[in-house]
Amino acid sequence: MLGMQRALSLIYPDQCILCPELVETTGGLCASCWREMPFLRGLVCNTCGVSLPGHGDAEVAQCDECLVMAPPWVAGRAALAYRDKARRLVLLLKHGDRPDLAGPAASWMEAAGRPIMTPDMLLGPVPIHWSRLISRRYNQSVELGRKLSRQTGLPFCPDALCRTRRTPVQDGLGVDARRANVAGAVCANPRHRAQFAGRDICLIDDVMTSGATLSAAADACHDAGARRVTVLVLARVEKAP
């Protein structure tokens, strides 16, 4: 088997997940794409994961928006800033029929999310409406959560939450409009409601913009009896300085 894999690698060498450049390992980035990937490595807001200036303790640091209006979760992290190569990665995963990107993306999320993970916390993906699931064929948040579960050993429930109605797309909406758009649109799946009681839940999603959708999902977790809710996303939209 090993010999066959080596032979196949000679015939079909691994390519970068974002460009035609050859790489040494499957699911990797070439040196150029790696340099251009905006990883969030410095000080970040402990609540929403947005990058912050300076240095300090990320477990107590908060951005101005979270200080003014705290979201309904206790901590959050993001692997990437939503721009440049990261934006292309997210769009390929979400709309480009590239579920294979979930593997490497989840490994970056695991690294970013270690400070907020607790033993036996339940990973729950943010749901999409069934009508969108038919057109996309898969929920990118489910794919990320499934890979993350395999990498961390944490339990994963792909349908822990449900969309109660189809909401208009959030693009172009302000913060208040986004919150009104998704208010009450997410609930705990009645079949899995017992799993929420007294438990830590980590919500998984591809992108956090205003946090409106994640807030609706967090509210649903609390309504079902969750003890503590955190959020972990692949990319975080950041305001221009």
Side-chain angles (χ1 to χ4, degrees):
M1 179 63 72
L2 184 59
M4 182 179 295
Q5 290 176 341
R6 288 175 177 170
L8 288 173
S9 67
L10 293 174
I11 301 173
Y12 304 105
D14 292 319
Q15 289 186 332
C16 171
I17 59 176
L18 291 180
C19 78
E21 287 294 316
L22 300 183
V23 294
E24 294 182 358
T25 58
T26 302
L29 290 168
C30 68
S32 176
C33 288
W34 180 268
R35 287 193 299 270
E36 296 176 31
M37 189 63 68
F39 291 100
L40 291 172
R41 292 195 176 100
L43 182 65
V44 297
C45 173
N46 184 58
T47 306
C48 74
V50 72
S51 60
L52 296 174
H55 304 278
D57 186 353
E59 292 188 6
V60 297
Q62 282 189 298
C63 67
D64 291 342
E65 290 186 7
C66 289
L67 284 171
V68 172
M69 183 178 292
W73 61 80
V74 296
R77 291 292 189 275
L80 309 166
Y82 185 67
R83 55 181 167 83
D84 307 328
K85 292 287 185 179
R87 183 175 184 274
R88 180 162 182 258
L89 175 77
V90 169
L91 293 177
L92 285 172
L93 174 63
K94 191 169 187 174
H95 301 296
D97 198 22
R98 291 286 307 276
D100 60 290
L101 295 176
S107 67
W108 304 333
M109 292 171 68
E110 178 191 3
R114 284 172 192 159
I116 64 171
M117 291 180 180
T118 59
D120 200 41
M121 74 188 316
L122 180 68
L123 303 179
V126 171
I128 60 176
H129 193 261
W130 64 265
S131 58
R132 286 200 169 98
L133 185 59
I134 290 175
S135 61
R136 294 184 191 173
R137 296 194 309 108
Y138 61 89
N139 177 355
Q140 68 280 357
S141 299
V142 170
E143 298 302 312
L144 290 169
R146 182 176 289 113
K147 295 293 185 181
L148 194 60
S149 175
R150 291 175 182 171
Q151 293 170 13
T152 62
L154 292 172
F156 170 63
C157 185
D159 56 346
L161 299 170
C162 301
R163 283 272 185 162
T164 59
R165 56 185 171 83
R166 175 167 179 154
T167 55
V169 294
Q170 301 273 63
D171 295 348
L173 298 179
V175 174
D176 291 340
R178 282 173 175 263
R179 289 173 179 162
N181 187 37
V182 297
V186 182
C187 71
N189 188 329
R191 292 188 296 136
H192 304 300
R193 193 176 180 89
Q195 295 192 56
F196 289 85
R199 193 170 192 176
D200 288 359
I201 309 294
C202 184
L203 294 171
I204 307 299
D205 207 359
D206 57 344
V207 180
M208 185 196 308
T209 304
S210 68
T213 302
L214 284 160
S215 291
D219 286 340
C221 292
H222 287 304
D223 289 344
R227 183 181 76 89
R228 182 175 179 270
V229 179
T230 57
V231 301
L232 178 57
V233 299
L234 174 57
R236 177 72 169 94
V237 173
E238 300 191 310
K239 291 184 177 179

